Amino acid sequence: MSHAQRLRQRIEDEIVSGELALGSRLDENQLAARFGVSRTPIREALLQLAATGLVQTKPRRGAIVSAPEPHLLLAMFEAMAEMEAACGRLAARRLVPEDAEALQTALAGCKAAMTLEDPEGYYAENYVFHTVVYRASRNAFLAEQALSLHRRLAPYRRLQLRVRQRVPQSLAEHEAIVAAIVAGDEAGAAEALRSHVIVQGDRFTDLVAGLRAPNAA
Amino acid sequence: MSHAQRLRQRIEDEIVSGELALGSRLDENQLAARFGVSRTPIREALLQLAATGLVQTKPRRGAIVSAPEPHLLLAMFEAMAEMEAACGRLAARRLVPEDAEALQTALAGCKAAMTLEDPEGYYAENYVFHTVVYRASRNAFLAEQALSLHRRLAPYRRLQLRVRQRVPQSLAEHEAIVAAIVAGDEAGAAEALRSHVIVQGDRFTDLVAGLRAPNAA
DNA sequence: ACAGTTTTTCTTGCATACAAGCGCTGTTGA
DNA sequence: TCAACAGCGCTTGTATGCAAGAAAAACTGT
């Protein structure tokens, strides 16, 4: 793989994981020095990330890590909810034993992380769970789009799980989702996923509040 | 705007409009000579298009216009159907008079193009209609994603409308979609859009058949 | 004559050099 | 003292040069 592609993944990971703060400037020279390459592959990586929306570029003013306005962020969560609902519906229709097993395994993983009271661990298991749902849709394109958006929203999801009692509630919702998919209940699976992902009411307030001080523990 | 951005749009337009055939090679030197610039902005444009999936790059082997396998293409149409369904549901829930009027205007445009028996004209009006639906969702992110995917599928949609009687049927479906949205029938609007966009049965056969000889009239 | 190998050429990928804006700061004038 | 303008420096955007790798062609051995 080329340097540019490696850098693209690397920088994307740093954004998703939160190492690179939202809104921070991505200086080409600085990144080039840090990774020991010239500006060319750095630029190519940043442009690709800009095309996917993870970073924003203003002409002649460089690139920054995207920090969407709250209203756009809400729209992104809403779109995510709709995409997950679609995955759930398709999964309920097409479930094969292999995917059913994967769902149960992922659910068990979430449960284990919750009982360990390990928020970071739950976060990871949650990621796995949703990935399994995407794959169970048996629609490779939809699954990839969903995964891409999930990753893009990862920094904000992380904030959400800090809210008290969110983890047990999330797990209960996961159980309902799996039950609906396994039962072949298309509408039920879609609705369960939609309401699981959507950000409304208190959760919206929590999200916006978290945005103000993203580095505060 | 920079050269690279202009070139990105220009090349994208040529792909979407079918001027650049699916699967054709995009030679950097050739494009550079054609547009009177160096390879650098060409590369940057191609990389951005690759990030959005419109072109594919193999390491050390250049870029080609993406020509997805039939099964992936089908998945893309399915995902498109789900996204449009989501737009429709939200539009039905949130419809404001301004959007209602825009829907009626777009519908009238489609009707006019049909009565003129102008397939290219209908194609354009169809594009407008769907754009209006996306906007009516009042979700800027979802609307943009839907539009992006719509553009990416444009070459194939064009093929579909060549099928006899597809245009009148499409128009009838548009009417049902508008009726459901205006009536505030969320589930109905979603289902109407899903079945309007989905490719199944004969239409799938037609699509695959069209792929074999995309340049044959 | 055919197949395998080698060489050549052409393209990509990265580095470096150069040009052109934009912002910042310092100075000047009111 | 404050505001406005000019000059400077830093960053981006584009061009060019160079190296490495892959495809194609030619050559050699059987």
Side-chain angles (χ1 to χ4, degrees):
Chain A
M1 197 186 289
S2 67
H3 280 175
Q5 298 308 313
R6 257 194 303 277
L7 290 166
R8 165 168 151 54
Q9 284 192 354
R10 178 72 186 274
I11 296 172
E12 181 178 331
D13 283 344
E14 294 198 0
I15 293 173
V16 168
S17 71
E19 289 171 64
L20 280 167
L22 299 170
S24 60
R25 247 176 94 54
L26 295 165
D27 186 85
E28 294 178 2
N29 291 311
Q30 194 179 316
L31 288 168
R34 188 174 138 211
F35 292 114
V37 296
S38 79
R39 277 175 51 223
T40 307
I42 297 284
R43 275 184 68 80
E44 295 187 347
L46 291 180
L47 282 167
Q48 288 185 72
L49 292 173
T52 64
L54 220 79
V55 313
Q56 265 178 329
T57 63
K58 299 208 177 186
R60 290 264 170 213
R61 294 181 60 182
I64 61 168
V65 180
S66 286
E69 297 296 308
H71 74 95
L72 185 58
L73 198 57
L74 189 62
M76 289 168 75
F77 270 99
E78 188 174 74
M80 181 87 251
E82 293 294 341
M83 287 179 73
E84 299 226 5
C87 287
R89 181 189 3 261
L90 294 173
R93 188 188 311 173
R94 299 173 177 165
L95 192 70
V96 293
E98 181 189 335
D99 288 333
E101 199 176 323
L103 279 172
Q104 299 292 358
T105 306
L107 190 59
C110 291
K111 203 165 205 165
M114 187 199 72
T115 53
L116 288 174
E117 301 205 0
D118 171 10
E120 280 300 314
Y122 185 83
Y123 180 83
E125 294 294 338
N126 180 65
Y127 178 83
V128 170
F129 176 79
H130 284 271
T131 305
V132 169
V133 172
Y134 305 155
R135 264 205 301 271
S137 75
R138 295 276 152 182
N139 180 318
F141 181 81
L142 185 60
E144 190 184 311
Q145 292 283 108
L147 190 61
S148 166
L149 183 52
H150 188 116
R151 285 174 63 81
R152 190 162 161 198
L153 291 175
Y156 307 99
R157 275 183 203 267
R158 207 182 289 273
L159 289 174
Q160 289 198 302
L161 287 178
R162 288 186 187 144
V163 176
R164 238 180 218 291
Q165 291 304 318
R166 177 65 194 141
V167 167
Q169 192 194 336
S170 169
L171 182 69
E173 290 168 6
H174 283 189
E175 284 171 345
I177 289 162
V178 171
I181 292 176
V182 169
D185 177 6
E186 296 184 23
E191 193 47 49
L193 271 157
R194 200 193 330 269
S195 58
H196 174 60
V197 174
I198 200 76
V199 173
Q200 58 188 3
D202 290 345
R203 287 177 61 196
F204 178 59
T205 314
D206 294 338
L207 179 62
V208 174
L211 289 178
R212 305 236 166 229
N215 292 325
Chain B
M1 193 186 287
S2 66
H3 280 174
Q5 299 308 314
R6 257 192 303 275
L7 290 166
R8 165 171 154 49
Q9 286 192 353
R10 177 73 187 273
I11 296 172
E12 182 178 329
D13 284 343
E14 295 199 357
I15 294 173
V16 168
S17 71
E19 290 172 64
L20 280 167
L22 300 169
S24 60
R25 232 164 145 283
L26 296 165
D27 185 85
E28 294 179 2
N29 292 309
Q30 194 178 315
L31 288 169
R34 188 174 138 211
F35 291 114
V37 296
S38 80
R39 279 176 50 222
T40 307
I42 296 285
R43 274 183 70 80
E44 295 189 348
L46 290 179
L47 281 167
Q48 288 185 72
L49 292 173
T52 64
L54 221 78
V55 313
Q56 265 179 328
T57 63
K58 300 208 175 183
R60 289 263 171 212
R61 293 182 61 183
I64 60 169
V65 180
S66 286
E69 297 295 309
H71 74 96
L72 186 57
L73 199 57
L74 189 63
M76 289 168 75
F77 271 99
E78 188 173 74
M80 182 85 253
E82 293 292 342
M83 288 178 73
E84 299 226 8
C87 288
R89 182 192 358 264
L90 294 173
R93 189 187 313 173
R94 298 172 178 166
L95 192 69
V96 293
E98 180 189 334
D99 288 333
E101 199 176 324
L103 279 172
Q104 299 292 357
T105 305
L107 189 60
C110 292
K111 203 166 204 162
M114 188 199 72
T115 53
L116 288 174
E117 300 207 1
D118 172 10
E120 278 302 312
Y122 185 84
Y123 180 83
E125 293 296 336
N126 180 65
Y127 178 84
V128 171
F129 176 80
H130 283 272
T131 306
V132 169
V133 173
Y134 305 155
R135 262 205 303 270
S137 74
R138 295 277 151 181
N139 181 318
F141 181 81
L142 186 59
E144 190 184 312
Q145 292 282 110
L147 190 61
S148 165
L149 183 52
H150 189 115
R151 285 173 63 80
R152 190 162 161 198
L153 291 175
Y156 307 100
R157 275 182 203 268
R158 206 181 288 274
L159 289 176
Q160 289 197 301
L161 287 179
R162 287 187 190 146
V163 175
R164 237 180 219 292
Q165 292 303 317
R166 178 65 193 142
V167 168
Q169 190 193 337
S170 170
L171 182 69
E173 289 168 7
H174 283 189
E175 285 172 345
I177 290 163
V178 172
I181 292 177
V182 170
D185 177 5
E186 296 185 23
E191 193 47 50
L193 271 156
R194 199 191 333 268
S195 58
H196 175 58
V197 174
I198 200 77
V199 173
Q200 58 188 2
D202 290 345
R203 288 178 61 197
F204 178 58
T205 314
D206 293 338
L207 179 63
V208 174
L211 288 177
R212 304 238 164 228
N215 292 325

